[in-house]
Amino acid sequence: MDILLVASAFNSLSQRVFAELSDEGHDVDVVLASHGPDAVRDAVRETGPELIVAPMLKSALPEDVWREHTCLIVHPGPPGDRGPSALDWAIAEEVSEWGVTVLQAEAAMDAGDVWADGTFPVPPAGKSDVYRNELADAATAAVLLAVRRYADGSYKPRAQSEGGIHVVWRDFFRQEQRRIDWENDDTATVLRKLRGADSQPGVRDEICGREVFLHGGHPEDRLRGEPGELLATRAGAVCRATRDGAVWIPELRPRKSSGDPAPFRRPAASVLAGFPAPPGSGPGMPGSHDRPYWLPEIAVPLELPPDRTTWTDIRYRQRGPVGFLTFSFPGGAMSTTHCRRLLAAWRYALTRPTSVLVLGGAPDFFSNGIHLNVIEAASDPAGESWSNLNAMNDLVEAVLRTTDRLVVAALGGNAAAGGVMLALAADEVWCRTGGVLNPHYRNMGLYGSEFWTYSLPRRAGAETAERLTSEALPVSAATAERLGLVDRLVPVAARDFATEVERLAADLAGDPDLPGRITAKATARHADELQRPLAEYRRDELARMRAVFFDREAPYHALRSAFVRKLPSGPARPLTAGAAR
């Protein structure tokens, strides 16, 4: 069918629905509702869709659109649940299971007839993590079922007025309900509040006399202090005391009214670096550019003891002949510092006696490439773009040049741009079914780097590489496997991914053909180097990127600024009808 996807943002769920509907043979077009109701009306007139699907919508569809066309809306709650904050309430109430509903648009919010629904477990994780994994799995399955039912023509959607459906209206979940009482809330309560707003909207709070939003939360087992006291920093995060423990907060976002020129999410320590020290902690001067000087930097070893409960974004562990280097950065963004720290961890992992080294494995984003928020907040965004890109290139090159063992990239979640190229530097790419890859840079006005001109054609062929980078469309894990970007699909739930990867890696390490494969990869890398050195790929790519970074008129700068500030940019319809085929 010809399907029009309407979304407030082309986020992870919208991309996944787009990719999997395309996989089923539908011609899918996309319009961004954030450009206003007229953009939606124009797209409907231009494409004449047989069906409209809205996987992520923050505003109502125009009445004339839903009256004249069948419009299926994804609601992140079970049948009967109504309101704009369904998943927020589920996490706040600590439900163990929640639902998702595909319903037909009508005048009353979330009250339309049900075309499909499903349930999913709610683990003790951040809201965005649950949204991208458990909810996305259930929502995508429900959308595909609803579309098949609509196409069949014989299915009659179920009215929510039917018996057995309990209707509950839940109001917008407000900051007053998220507020942390540092004197009285225990650590479990603080973590629940932080996780319930980890990506959006954050928890409004006050630090050093300034209002900020807190994003993300993880427990700490050893550090202690007065409730609300800032205790330490680690890898960009800050540790804050609760009444019975402490929590790590990876990111902060200054309020727009705070006067901060960069009022968007970024590493917490770098935000605090611009704050004056609290009374009694020093002379009251701001810290360095990336962390407040008055807080100690607390490191942990890469190989964390099993009895520790603390936060760190990079870890190494070993199981016999297999090494696992896991990492998880908020939003999948990798700053200059992230890249350099991960490169140092990679070099450490290479000193360990393993025959298989697994990179990744967390049930979330693998990587989305350079950190646009940190770049936008820098005093010299062009210079920081250049530093970040070179650090990313150093990391990818180190993986490409690892020839003494087999390297597996384990993608438990989505990857984009340089993050895809980091994965393709490995010998094998394993991806959880449901993952989405964006192997391109064009939407940010960039040519791309991270050795994509070597890795992408090597796996997919020159013609496919050109199409992927020029069309700039997301592809499902299944399509990525068909194109040669993924070697193995891992059909498990998100929380089972790491365990399954460990099992598969052990099997790989026990393969009697493994020594021969390692010898063959070393021989192939040597032959490729003789044909064209990696340094040439890097030089040519970086020359194109440098020209963009240091051109103040290049679209990259406006696109980056709009992206980090969540402002509409570019055309209302980023994808053309039928482009997914």
Side-chain angles (χ1 to χ4, degrees):
M1 291 192 298
D2 291 326
I3 297 176
L4 177 63
L5 216 64
V6 182
S8 293
F10 202 42
N11 69 346
S12 57
L13 178 58
S14 301
Q15 291 183 26
R16 181 168 173 187
V17 169
F18 169 88
E20 297 206 18
L21 284 174
S22 300
D23 284 355
E24 296 217 342
H26 302 292
D27 285 341
V28 187
D29 199 6
V30 179
V31 60
L32 297 181
S34 55
H35 286 272
D38 285 342
V40 175
R41 293 187 179 98
D42 290 344
V44 171
R45 282 194 297 269
E46 292 174 20
T47 63
E50 299 170 71
L51 179 65
I52 295 173
V53 176
M56 182 270 187
L57 204 57
K58 293 183 178 180
S59 56
L61 287 171
E63 182 176 350
D64 53 311
V65 170
W66 60 257
R67 286 197 182 277
E68 296 172 12
H69 299 80
T70 299
C71 301
L72 303 184
I73 311 292
V74 175
H75 174 68
D81 178 86
R82 298 179 188 176
S85 303
L87 189 55
D88 300 73
W89 282 104
I91 292 175
E93 295 173 357
E94 298 183 275
V95 303
S96 59
E97 185 177 84
W98 195 236
V100 64
T101 309
V102 179
L103 49 87
Q104 190 161 334
E106 64 166 49
M109 185 178 184
D110 304 326
D113 293 351
V114 176
W115 281 86
D117 65 281
T119 61
F120 58 91
V122 182
K127 180 177 70 172
S128 61
D129 192 355
V130 175
Y131 181 87
R132 286 190 293 265
N133 288 301
E134 286 81 7
L135 186 146
D137 287 350
T140 304
V143 167
L144 295 178
L145 175 59
V147 170
R148 286 194 290 269
R149 285 172 169 172
Y150 180 80
D152 178 70
S154 62
Y155 183 80
K156 182 180 179 181
R158 181 168 48 127
Q160 294 195 53
S161 58
E162 290 183 6
I165 296 180
H166 179 57
V167 175
V168 177
W169 173 263
R170 302 174 190 272
D171 289 331
F172 181 75
F173 203 86
R174 302 185 182 280
Q175 282 293 338
E176 290 75 14
Q177 296 158 290
R178 303 183 193 276
R179 186 181 68 85
I180 295 173
D181 182 345
W182 292 100
E183 291 288 340
N184 297 301
D185 286 347
D186 61 16
T187 300
T189 300
V190 171
L191 286 172
R192 187 181 71 250
K193 291 178 177 180
L194 289 171
R195 288 170 173 168
D198 62 342
S199 177
Q200 286 294 329
V203 175
R204 190 170 63 210
D205 202 0
E206 183 178 293
I207 296 179
C208 300
R210 300 190 185 184
E211 278 197 312
V212 295
F213 291 88
L214 317 178
H215 292 270
H218 305 271
E220 162 59 31
D221 57 0
R222 294 183 180 177
L223 298 177
R224 296 293 183 268
E226 293 298 317
E229 180 185 359
L230 296 175
L231 305 175
T233 65
R234 173 186 296 151
V238 295
C239 188
R240 197 170 187 187
T242 64
R243 72 171 176 82
D244 62 346
V247 295
W248 287 97
I249 302 168
E251 294 185 313
L252 298 178
R253 173 170 58 91
R255 292 200 73 184
K256 288 184 179 180
S257 59
S258 67
D260 192 303
F264 41 81
R265 287 169 52 197
R266 55 194 197 272
S270 68
V271 175
L272 287 183
F275 288 11
S281 60
M285 297 175 62
S288 66
H289 72 282
D290 60 351
R291 74 180 187 89
Y293 79 89
W294 67 86
L295 291 177
E297 175 77 9
I298 306 294
V300 295
L302 280 174
E303 297 190 70
L304 198 66
D307 62 337
R308 291 299 310 275
T309 302
T310 189
W311 173 86
T312 181
D313 51 7
I314 303 174
R315 294 186 182 184
Y316 178 81
R317 59 188 175 88
Q318 192 168 326
R319 297 291 183 270
V322 183
F324 298 88
L325 183 58
T326 59
F327 60 96
S328 180
F329 305 123
M334 297 174 64
S335 68
T336 303
T337 302
H338 287 137
C339 294
R340 289 173 178 167
R341 290 177 47 244
L342 188 53
L343 175 58
W346 180 262
R347 289 170 175 163
Y348 171 81
L350 294 184
T351 68
R352 309 300 298 147
T354 60
S355 56
V356 174
L357 180 53
V358 178
L359 179 65
D364 201 355
F365 286 118
F366 179 77
S367 169
N368 285 325
I370 60 177
H371 203 311
L372 299 177
N373 288 41
V374 169
I375 290 169
E376 182 69 11
S379 58
D380 177 11
E384 182 57 34
S385 297
W386 182 246
S387 296
N388 199 164
L389 186 63
N390 274 281
M392 193 82 188
N393 271 271
D394 291 342
L395 173 62
V396 175
E397 183 169 358
V399 178
L400 285 169
R401 292 191 183 279
T402 298
T403 57
D404 64 343
R405 65 201 76 196
L406 206 70
V407 177
V408 174
L411 279 63
N414 300 349
V420 175
M421 306 316 155
L422 174 60
L424 297 187
D427 303 300
E428 292 194 11
V429 178
W430 300 350
C431 186
R432 189 179 86 87
T433 51
V436 174
L437 275 62
N438 278 280
H440 54 80
Y441 305 79
R442 196 187 73 177
N443 291 343
M444 201 50 59
L446 297 173
Y447 175 74
S449 190
E450 294 100 2
F451 300 90
W452 81 264
T453 53
Y454 170 70
S455 298
L456 196 57
R458 182 179 60 154
R459 278 184 163 269
E463 184 178 340
T464 298
E466 171 63 25
R467 179 173 60 81
L468 289 171
T469 53
S470 62
E471 289 183 349
L473 302 175
V475 296
S476 67
T479 293
E481 183 192 38
R482 178 173 56 83
L483 295 177
L485 306 183
V486 168
D487 300 287
R488 182 193 292 270
L489 295 178
V490 184
V492 296
R495 308 302 149 182
D496 298 328
F497 182 71
T499 301
E500 182 65 5
V501 165
E502 185 168 329
R503 184 188 70 80
L504 294 171
D507 290 345
L508 181 59
D511 187 343
D513 293 334
L514 182 61
R517 290 189 61 187
I518 294 172
T519 300
K521 74 170 276 191
T523 301
R525 174 84 283 281
H526 179 68
D528 285 354
E529 189 72 11
L530 290 177
Q531 183 176 3
R532 189 186 182 197
L534 287 178
E536 288 191 10
Y537 289 97
R538 178 170 182 157
R539 180 198 65 205
D540 293 348
E541 291 172 359
L542 288 179
R544 301 279 292 267
M545 294 289 276
R546 184 179 178 85
V548 172
F549 288 161
F550 292 95
D551 177 3
R552 293 184 179 181
E553 303 304 317
Y556 160 69
H557 300 291
L559 290 169
R560 182 193 68 238
S561 180
F563 176 82
V564 303
R565 289 175 170 80
K566 302 187 182 301
L567 301 174
S569 65
R573 289 196 296 122
L575 309 173
T576 59
R581 285 197 162 182

